[in-house]
Amino acid sequence: MSIDTETARRVAKLARIAVPDENLPKLAEDLSGILDFMEQLNEVDVDGVEPMTSVTPMRLKRREDVVTDGDQQPAVLANAPDAREGFFAVPKVVE
Amino acid sequence: MSELTKLTIADARDKLAAKEITAVELTQSCLDAIEAADALGAFVHKTPEVALDQAKAADARIASGTAAPMTGIPLGIKDLFCTKGVNSQAASAILDGFKPEYESTITQQLFDAGAVMLGKLNMDEFAMGSSNETSTYGNAVNPWRRGNDDTALTPGGSSGGSASAVSADLCLGATGTDTGGSIRQPAAFTGIVGLKPTYGRCSRWGVVAFASSLDQAGPMVKSVRDAAIMGAAMMGHDPKDSTSADLPVPDFEAMLTGDIKGKVIGIPKEYRMDGMPDEIETLWADGAAMLKDAGAELRDISLPHTKYALPAYYVIAPAEASSNLARYDGVRFGHRAKLSQGDGINEMYEKTRAEGFGPEVQRRVMIGTYVLSAGFYDAYYNRARKVRALIKKDFEDVFASGVDAILTPATPSAAFGLGEMADADPVQMYLNDVFTVTVNLAGLPGISVPTGVDRQGLPLGLQLIGQPWEEGDLLNTAYALETAAGFMEKPQRWW
């Protein structure tokens, strides 16, 4: 399995990481190397094996569906790069 | 430098209880040692005011007769743990200036027990690395050197700052986290003890997430006894972590009898790798002989899917990371890129993440994105999870056949030089985790114990792997190994 520069560009886009065009060939090469390493997994007979979903089999705990926390607007916004009037501020999303 | 910083947690606890020393004296000694050790790059945010306040409170608590075992013990905290009001950045530029409004469960438990925080410790960015070279703070450096050669060596990773600080006696213990070996490999590289508990033992709440099904915190300390003491203080059920186990935490220290007569120790043939250095081979054989002399039975075992652990890990961990790290978007916390005229929200995400994430983190997020993308999910991610189930079954079969613990090398080599792997392809660095990563995939407890030095004088460690939730038994076996090995070497101070 080899990743070409177009696939690298698409993956970067999906991951929302800006990668300059001149860096795409090296990125493609790095990703291909890692994926080649993963190809070994195809040697394993996994017929009838369930994918692991939980490290330790346990039933997730349940609790009453009630509000347990809240009223923490200043704390929630304290680390925001741009917070105004009690909201997170971002560039315009819709025209 | 004061001798106080060289104390183990157990000895300091006893001296504090006997009023031979005070927590303030002990803490001040550590703060002085830290001030003189900037060359190690271990402490990246120092918190002397917090430390002295906590130390005074600890002295008052000791005087009132209500001390817990960790009361007054000065610790370093890995930068991955959220500490209220104190920078917690996972060694990443994307969390530049992040000061959490809350405390991680583990640090809260340690503080409730009276422990003292000296500061935050260096690490690989988002715990992704095996050499502490991906940190936004710069490298942490190993206090150990190759004889008189002054080449700077890696303390390992990702908990490199924790390992360096404990090994150099800047603190009595440190928190670490282990996703593929990040406690055990740096412990082995620096001649200290590192325990990765069973998955679910320590709460993950407030610990910056890398790969949630693999991440587990644990103590990095100077002795097995200290691992028992500090480990117990870190563990316990937490309703805020849905995978936290609701099980009692035993008194591990009371279980350290050193008696391992009749215990069955498995020696897995698959861990005998081609090209493994003779010194590692010898270390392993010597360790096995020590356990046999102490009364254990050695048994050759097979863990047939070992070879596939690393490739499975490097599908699963990046997949989980790509999901976990989606939250770093420049909106709620940390860094946001400067935007150009006309940039919209997608440019904000893309520029922020390109500026904030280092190359290794970017690589892993993209690998994870790829293996989870439409058309590849089954081929990579689901296949890796099936292989993971087989790896876990390998261990279950061995334990069901009567094996109590498994002995392996902790690392395939001693500490290497900083920068020596710079030109290697990423997979070469990943091979550092070859002996440790199986344990994370299977969710088992593992401990790295220093048992010898190589011909250049660098420490080497062995790993013991235990049954789920049997940390007490595992620690006791490790205690027997530690006692037999009698590892006493310390790095010569050059910093």
Side-chain angles (χ1 to χ4, degrees):
Chain A
M1 180 71 211
S2 193
I3 291 205
D4 56 22
T5 48
E6 267 323 296
T7 310
R9 187 195 309 276
R10 190 173 59 86
V11 172
K13 183 82 191 166
L14 281 172
R16 297 290 184 272
I17 297 174
V19 178
D21 279 352
E22 64 268 28
N23 294 353
L24 286 173
K26 176 74 169 77
L27 175 66
E29 187 192 323
D30 282 351
L31 298 186
S32 294
I34 297 169
L35 289 170
D36 284 347
F37 178 60
M38 295 170 181
E39 291 299 313
Q40 295 174 64
L41 294 176
N42 292 325
E43 298 167 12
V44 185
D45 179 3
V46 293
D47 278 357
V49 180
E50 280 298 307
M52 191 195 278
T53 49
S54 173
V55 190
T56 308
M58 58 162 82
R59 189 168 172 277
L60 288 181
K61 282 187 175 274
R62 297 178 179 199
R63 63 166 174 81
E64 290 299 308
D65 184 14
V66 293
V67 176
T68 57
D69 204 350
D71 286 330
Q72 301 211 28
Q73 193 185 55
V76 168
L77 294 173
N79 279 289
D82 190 1
R84 295 177 212 166
E85 299 169 37
F87 292 95
F88 294 111
V90 295
K92 201 167 172 182
V93 179
V94 285
E95 292 301 322
Chain B
M1 189 167 57
S2 158
E3 294 293 306
L4 289 183
T5 69
K6 295 190 167 72
L7 291 172
T8 60
I9 292 173
D11 288 344
R13 172 195 59 187
D14 296 346
K15 286 180 187 295
L16 286 164
K19 311 284 197 309
E20 288 174 41
I21 57 171
T22 68
V24 169
E25 285 167 4
L26 182 59
T27 298
Q28 191 58 55
S29 304
C30 290
L31 292 172
D32 293 345
I34 290 165
E35 272 313 305
D38 284 346
L40 292 173
F43 276 87
V44 291
H45 299 288
K46 301 169 188 172
T47 56
E49 293 88 3
V50 174
L52 288 170
D53 282 350
Q54 289 174 328
K56 283 174 200 154
D59 280 330
R61 184 163 166 183
I62 292 164
S64 75
T66 56
M70 290 297 289
T71 303
I73 303 298
L75 304 175
I77 304 295
K78 189 178 181 179
D79 200 38
L80 203 65
F81 291 79
C82 286
T83 44
K84 189 171 183 179
V86 175
N87 290 54
S88 307
Q89 300 178 198
S92 179
I94 210 159
L95 277 170
D96 197 19
F98 179 60
K99 289 192 170 76
E101 293 287 318
Y102 51 89
E103 192 70 45
S104 82
T105 296
I106 287 180
T107 46
Q108 188 64 56
Q109 282 183 202
L110 289 168
F111 298 158
D112 288 347
V116 170
M117 175 172 73
L118 298 162
K120 302 300 283 289
L121 292 164
N122 209 345
M123 53 179 282
D124 279 297
E125 183 180 5
F126 284 108
M128 297 180 192
S130 302
S131 63
N132 211 118
E133 290 171 286
T134 70
S135 167
T136 188
Y137 305 116
N139 297 338
V141 182
N142 197 324
W144 293 79
R145 287 178 164 176
R146 295 171 181 141
N148 294 320
D149 179 348
D150 64 4
T151 305
L153 304 180
T154 176
S158 67
S159 309
S162 304
S164 176
V166 173
S167 172
D169 291 321
L170 308 184
C171 53
L172 274 60
T175 61
T177 62
D178 192 315
T179 304
S182 284
I183 287 176
R184 292 159 287 155
Q185 182 253 23
F189 276 9
T190 56
I192 65 169
V193 172
L195 170 69
K196 184 206 94 74
T198 312
Y199 181 82
R201 264 296 191 197
C202 288
S203 170
R204 291 180 294 108
W205 196 83
V207 183
V208 175
F210 161 16
S212 304
S213 78
L214 299 157
D215 297 343
Q216 185 62 203
M220 299 177 72
V221 285
K222 299 175 193 177
S223 71
V224 172
R225 180 173 301 278
D226 285 5
I229 298 168
M230 184 171 165
M234 295 172 70
M235 296 176 195
H237 178 243
D238 179 13
K240 288 190 279 196
D241 172 0
S242 63
T243 58
S244 159
D246 196 356
L247 292 172
V249 179
D251 181 350
F252 297 131
E253 193 182 9
M255 298 168 83
L256 301 180
T257 62
D259 180 4
I260 56 164
K261 282 191 188 61
K263 294 280 179 195
V264 179
I265 307 296
I267 309 292
K269 65 175 186 204
E270 289 81 5
Y271 284 59
R272 195 156 280 118
M273 301 277 172
D274 286 343
M276 191 158 84
D278 293 347
E279 288 172 307
I280 302 283
E281 187 90 47
T282 306
L283 183 88
W284 192 13
D286 289 351
M290 289 174 204
L291 292 174
K292 186 161 186 259
D293 287 347
E297 176 198 330
L298 302 181
R299 190 179 295 174
D300 289 324
I301 59 167
S302 174
L303 298 163
H305 295 91
T306 299
K307 179 187 168 195
Y308 303 106
L310 266 183
Y313 175 84
Y314 277 98
V315 174
I316 292 165
E320 295 187 20
S322 79
S323 171
N324 272 325
L325 271 59
R327 74 191 66 175
Y328 304 104
D329 55 6
V331 175
R332 288 159 294 168
F333 30 65
H335 177 74
R336 177 187 292 189
K338 286 222 175 357
L339 301 182
S340 307
Q341 195 71 32
D343 277 352
I345 196 157
N346 274 319
E347 286 80 9
M348 183 194 74
Y349 294 150
E350 291 178 354
K351 288 183 177 179
T352 294
R353 290 161 67 81
E355 289 177 8
F357 291 147
E360 179 62 20
V361 172
Q362 292 193 18
R363 211 161 23 233
R364 294 204 200 183
V365 167
M366 287 192 261
I367 280 286
T369 303
Y370 182 78
V371 300
L372 290 176
S373 63
F376 300 102
Y377 184 91
D378 267 322
Y380 288 104
Y381 184 62
N382 261 345
R383 175 167 282 268
R385 290 195 304 146
K386 289 177 183 176
V387 172
R388 184 178 183 184
L390 292 172
I391 289 165
K392 183 161 186 261
K393 185 168 181 300
D394 284 353
F395 282 104
E396 286 167 351
D397 291 347
V398 160
F399 288 134
S401 76
V403 168
D404 294 292
I406 298 166
L407 182 74
T408 78
T411 58
S413 71
F416 48 90
L418 288 162
E420 274 175 16
M421 300 281 277
D423 297 325
D425 75 85
V427 171
Q428 286 305 309
M429 188 65 102
Y430 298 169
L431 293 176
N432 262 289
D433 298 332
V434 66
F435 298 131
T436 47
V437 74
T438 49
V439 173
N440 299 78
L441 289 168
L444 301 171
I447 187 167
S448 170
V449 180
T451 59
V453 291
D454 73 358
R455 62 178 71 88
Q456 295 177 303
L458 295 178
L460 296 171
L462 289 174
Q463 170 179 240
L464 281 160
I465 304 167
Q467 302 196 25
W469 318 116
E470 297 296 335
E471 285 88 356
D473 196 48
L474 177 68
L475 284 160
N476 187 43
T477 306
Y479 181 62
L481 180 64
E482 176 187 53
T483 307
F487 181 89
M488 299 295 280
E489 286 82 354
K490 297 289 280 184
Q492 291 291 321
R493 188 170 170 207
W494 52 263
W495 56 91

